[in-house]
Amino acid sequence: MIEEGSKSSKSMVEKRQLFMEMRAQNFDVIRLSTYRTACKLRFVQKRCNLHLVDVWNMIEAFRDNGLSTLDHNAEINVSRLETILSSIFYQLNKRLPTTHQINVEQSIGLLLNFIVATYDSEGHGKLTVFAMKAMLATMCGGKILDKLRYIFSQISDSNGVMVYAKFDQFLREVLKLPTAVFEGPSFGYTEHSVRTCFPQQKKILLNTFLDVLMADPPPQYLVWLPLMHRLANVENVFHPVECSYCRSESMMGFRYRCQQCHGYQLCQSCFWRGHASGPHSNQHQMKEHSSWKSPAKKLSHAISKSLGCMPIGEPPHPVFPEAAERPQDLAHTTTLESPSRLDEEHRLIARYAARLAAEASNSTQCPPTDLSFNFDANKQQRQLIAELENKNREILQEIQRLRLEHEQASQPTPEKAQQNPTLLAELRLLRHRKDELERRMSALQESRRELMVQLEGLMRLLKDEEQKQASQTGTSPHSSPSHSASCTMPMPIRSTSAGSTPTHTPQDCLAGVGDDVLDAFSQGVPRNLRNDLLVAADSITNTMSSLVKELHSVDDGLEEEEENMRNGREKVSSLKHSGKRQSTPSF
């Protein structure tokens, strides 16, 4: 009798362990219910090690345990549920390295007690197959797009159209999760939940389903689901800025910027708890940031946008075929309801395994660096550099034209100089200003040369990596016919003296710069080093920023010189007219 009582007491402690640990995290101090719910469910997900299992592993476990052939309303007992969870976590440990093994028994116990408390609160000892699938597919790790596609395959008919009754059943089951973490008043199920998500009575296909659930903002009842995924993505994001309330010198996770108070930023802890200081108020609109961009990257973004090099924004999810068809490559998922239907989940796993096998076979035929290389991004970077170089050449040509006009207009003559001492002093002042402008032009040319030197260093990195890849593939780095072309780029150099007009030799301005830069911009050879390009992007952008500032200062100086010259000409003209009227001889 005593032993049975002790076992029962131990079982009760194990059932409450997860909830006691969750309450110790003090999530209830978060003032917004959406963030409270997402934080609590994220804690349960990580504590039970579900964040290490994606939806494809879940589908495989369902298939291996014979759940794919069962009706959604069929019931399973707690013993079979424990067997399924054991299969999931033991398979997980096989995939993990030996240094990152999890405590399988503890994970099974915590998750089993959470599921029972959520879906069998009355103690019947049973739950439906659909409830278990909905819960595990929602709480597992992986991409939200894959989860929603699998869920749609469970609530759609053979024509690929969502069944409202099944979606209503899904909402009933999934909204038990917020209730289990004591957030039922904010996200509990109601009779109007389905119509809130899909207000119009129409045919819902896969793309429409994804549009609604991945919208910004998503449906109110499910707003915590994408937030839980965003929390997982920003847990290790670092922001090197100071919180305006707690004065912490850096932030981790989300960062919030006030749209009314200039420079006012809060860390996620202060924002979630409603802290405010100074003129800032909790009623002000705040913008959530999940990443940090340095000032150099922001300038690069602005230059790319001004030059029209920005890529077209991608949609929130891929567009899938509208026509319902049998899944061939996971492009469309439907559930057949005929008595002789095939195991669709089994086919999903088979197609997914085939795709992984194809990727593995391709990886043996190409260098490892090619697997993670984004060709589109590399192409966009090359286009950006080419656009910047063309713009630079146009600016230099315009500067050269303005300089020649300025030199012709500002040349003093003995006739003008001897007419009036005041005019002579003004001409000397103009000459001094001209020398100052030439010194600025020299600094501008030096900045441009520094840019080309940096580009040369980048080209050397690209060339070294190309030779490394060529040695791995067994091909010669000089076998490409594109290396035979070459061209030069006309660029002016600094003036050698402040008092004379500088001469401009196109080749001299590239002194110290190798041929790789010229070859790269004349040939447009595709490079395979996205990482090296991004490393050099910040330094190139800083140099371009200095170039633009110098150009603005030169333009201002030229405008001032032109105004002074016009005033000088007007004075000379007036002196000439007055001299003619007084019959004064000219010198």
Side-chain angles (χ1 to χ4, degrees):
M1 182 72 69
I2 297 177
E3 292 181 357
E4 292 179 358
S6 61
K7 290 182 179 179
S8 177
S9 177
K10 182 179 179 181
S11 177
M12 291 298 295
V13 171
E14 291 177 349
K15 289 181 179 180
R16 296 175 181 176
Q17 178 183 352
L18 183 62
F19 295 98
M20 291 188 296
E21 292 179 2
M22 183 179 65
R23 286 180 175 175
Q25 299 296 318
N26 202 22
F27 291 123
D28 290 330
V29 300
I30 301 176
R31 63 188 182 99
L32 300 176
S33 60
T34 303
Y35 286 97
R36 278 201 314 271
T37 305
C39 288
K40 290 179 179 179
L41 292 178
R42 174 64 177 166
F43 172 80
V44 173
Q45 182 191 54
K46 295 181 65 176
R47 188 67 181 86
C48 298
N49 289 312
L50 278 175
H51 66 296
L52 302 175
V53 185
D54 61 22
V55 69
W56 306 109
N57 303 133
M58 290 297 180
I59 296 175
E60 183 179 7
F62 298 158
R63 176 179 59 84
D64 292 343
N65 288 275
L67 298 181
S68 302
T69 57
L70 294 179
D71 187 82
H72 283 172
N73 295 322
E75 293 184 338
I76 59 174
N77 54 31
V78 176
S79 298
R80 188 169 183 183
L81 174 60
E82 185 175 4
T83 302
I84 297 171
L85 298 182
S86 300
S87 173
I88 293 173
F89 287 113
Y90 278 111
Q91 289 297 325
L92 171 62
N93 250 0
K94 292 180 180 179
R95 296 189 298 269
L96 294 176
T98 55
T99 55
H100 292 76
Q101 297 287 296
I102 65 171
N103 189 331
V104 174
E105 296 299 330
Q106 184 184 55
S107 300
I108 294 173
L110 291 174
L111 184 56
L112 180 65
N113 290 327
F114 179 75
I115 295 177
V116 171
T118 303
Y119 293 98
D120 188 30
S121 57
E122 297 181 359
H124 297 302
K126 294 182 179 180
L127 69 159
T128 64
V129 171
F130 185 76
M132 190 197 64
K133 286 184 176 181
M135 183 272 172
L136 293 177
T138 303
M139 291 295 294
C140 67
K143 299 179 180 179
I144 188 173
L145 176 63
D146 295 335
K147 292 184 181 182
L148 295 178
R149 289 182 62 195
Y150 173 73
I151 291 170
F152 185 82
S153 71
Q154 301 297 302
I155 62 174
S156 58
D157 59 18
S158 59
N159 296 319
V161 180
M162 187 189 78
V163 180
Y164 275 87
K166 290 187 176 182
F167 180 70
D168 181 76
Q169 184 182 3
F170 166 73
L171 285 182
R172 288 176 183 269
E173 303 299 343
V174 79
L175 290 180
K176 291 179 182 179
L177 292 172
T179 303
V181 293
F182 315 107
E183 297 295 335
S186 300
F187 301 104
Y189 173 82
T190 65
E191 298 295 335
H192 306 288
S193 299
V194 176
R195 294 305 169 196
T196 302
C197 298
F198 300 99
Q200 299 180 358
Q201 181 71 259
K202 61 180 181 180
K203 183 170 66 173
I204 305 298
L205 301 177
L206 175 59
N207 291 315
T208 306
F209 180 80
L210 295 176
D211 289 339
V212 172
L213 269 68
M214 298 184 68
D216 187 16
Q220 179 60 31
Y221 287 97
L222 296 173
V223 68
W224 50 269
L225 180 57
L227 178 58
M228 186 174 69
H229 285 78
R230 296 207 308 274
L231 281 173
N233 294 332
V234 303
E235 284 181 347
N236 298 318
V237 174
F238 175 78
H239 305 268
V241 293
E242 183 184 54
C243 176
S244 300
Y245 182 84
C246 67
R247 299 301 176 185
S248 174
E249 296 182 354
S250 60
M251 304 180 190
M252 293 293 291
F254 287 120
R255 172 171 55 92
Y256 297 88
R257 176 185 290 273
C258 182
Q259 301 299 291
Q260 299 183 32
C261 304
H262 178 70
Y264 194 91
Q265 301 187 80
L266 293 176
C267 63
Q268 68 176 22
S269 178
C270 292
F271 175 75
W272 289 355
R273 286 158 176 77
H275 295 323
S277 60
H280 177 71
S281 170
N282 289 331
Q283 303 303 319
H284 290 181
Q285 183 179 2
M286 302 289 285
K287 184 176 181 180
E288 183 181 274
H289 295 272
S290 58
S291 62
W292 165 256
K293 290 184 180 179
S294 64
K297 290 184 178 180
K298 292 180 181 178
L299 178 60
S300 175
H301 183 273
I303 294 177
S304 302
K305 187 175 181 180
S306 63
L307 296 177
C309 300
M310 292 300 297
I312 300 176
E314 297 182 357
H317 65 84
V319 179
F320 299 97
E322 293 292 347
E325 58 186 6
R326 294 181 181 276
Q328 299 296 327
D329 56 353
L330 296 181
H332 185 77
T333 57
T334 59
T335 302
L336 302 180
E337 296 183 340
S338 60
S340 60
R341 69 181 183 181
L342 296 175
D343 186 355
E344 293 300 328
E345 292 176 349
H346 177 75
R347 297 183 63 182
L348 287 177
I349 293 297
R351 300 299 180 270
Y352 182 65
R355 188 178 68 180
L356 291 178
E359 292 178 356
S361 62
N362 291 334
S363 64
T364 60
Q365 301 175 3
C366 60
T369 55
D370 291 342
L371 293 177
S372 59
F373 184 75
N374 191 325
F375 293 96
D376 292 337
N378 195 9
K379 182 178 179 181
Q380 292 168 7
Q381 294 291 342
R382 293 198 305 272
Q383 290 176 350
L384 173 60
I385 294 177
E387 291 285 348
L388 290 175
E389 193 64 26
N390 293 334
K391 192 70 174 179
N392 192 23
R393 284 195 290 267
E394 294 175 2
I395 293 173
L396 290 174
Q397 292 174 1
E398 184 66 17
I399 291 174
Q400 179 68 10
R401 183 183 65 80
L402 294 175
R403 173 182 282 182
L404 293 176
E405 293 179 357
H406 167 67
E407 291 173 352
Q408 294 173 0
S410 62
Q411 287 293 337
T413 62
E415 179 181 359
K416 295 180 182 178
Q418 297 176 12
Q419 285 179 358
N420 195 311
T422 304
L423 179 61
L424 180 61
E426 291 180 354
L427 290 177
R428 288 176 179 173
L429 182 62
L430 289 175
R431 183 60 179 267
H432 178 72
R433 180 60 177 168
K434 171 179 173 292
D435 295 341
E436 182 180 356
L437 283 177
E438 287 181 351
R439 287 192 295 271
R440 285 193 180 184
M441 288 298 300
S442 298
L444 177 64
Q445 298 299 339
E446 182 63 22
S447 298
R448 186 174 181 278
R449 183 182 178 278
E450 291 175 358
L451 170 64
M452 300 305 296
V453 171
Q454 291 179 11
L455 290 176
E456 170 63 14
L458 174 61
M459 291 299 104
R460 284 198 297 269
L461 291 176
L462 293 173
K463 191 172 183 180
D464 294 341
E465 186 63 20
E466 183 181 16
Q467 292 176 353
K468 185 186 298 182
Q469 292 182 0
S471 63
Q472 293 176 355
T473 56
T475 60
S476 173
H478 303 288
S479 61
S480 174
S482 60
H483 286 279
S484 62
S486 65
C487 67
T488 61
M489 299 190 309
M491 304 173 191
I493 62 172
R494 297 189 288 181
S495 62
T496 57
S497 64
S500 61
T501 303
T503 58
H504 308 283
T505 306
Q507 292 79 5
D508 293 342
C509 70
L510 294 179
V513 179
D515 295 333
D516 289 332
V517 174
L518 302 179
D519 292 342
F521 286 102
S522 62
Q523 301 163 9
V525 179
R527 302 286 184 175
N528 294 332
L529 270 188
R530 179 188 175 212
N531 291 335
D532 292 336
L533 187 59
L534 293 177
V535 168
D538 283 346
S539 60
I540 295 174
T541 304
N542 291 333
T543 307
M544 287 301 299
S545 176
S546 301
L547 175 63
V548 173
K549 292 179 181 178
E550 289 294 333
L551 289 177
H552 283 307
S553 64
V554 171
D555 289 341
D556 295 340
L558 291 176
E559 291 177 359
E560 182 179 351
E561 289 300 316
E562 291 177 358
E563 182 65 26
N564 292 335
M565 289 302 302
R566 282 197 295 270
N567 296 334
R569 292 193 188 98
E570 291 176 358
K571 290 183 178 180
V572 171
S573 178
S574 63
L575 289 173
K576 285 183 178 180
H577 287 300
S578 63
K580 289 179 180 180
R581 287 195 299 268
Q582 299 176 7
S583 301
T584 301
S586 60
F587 293 91

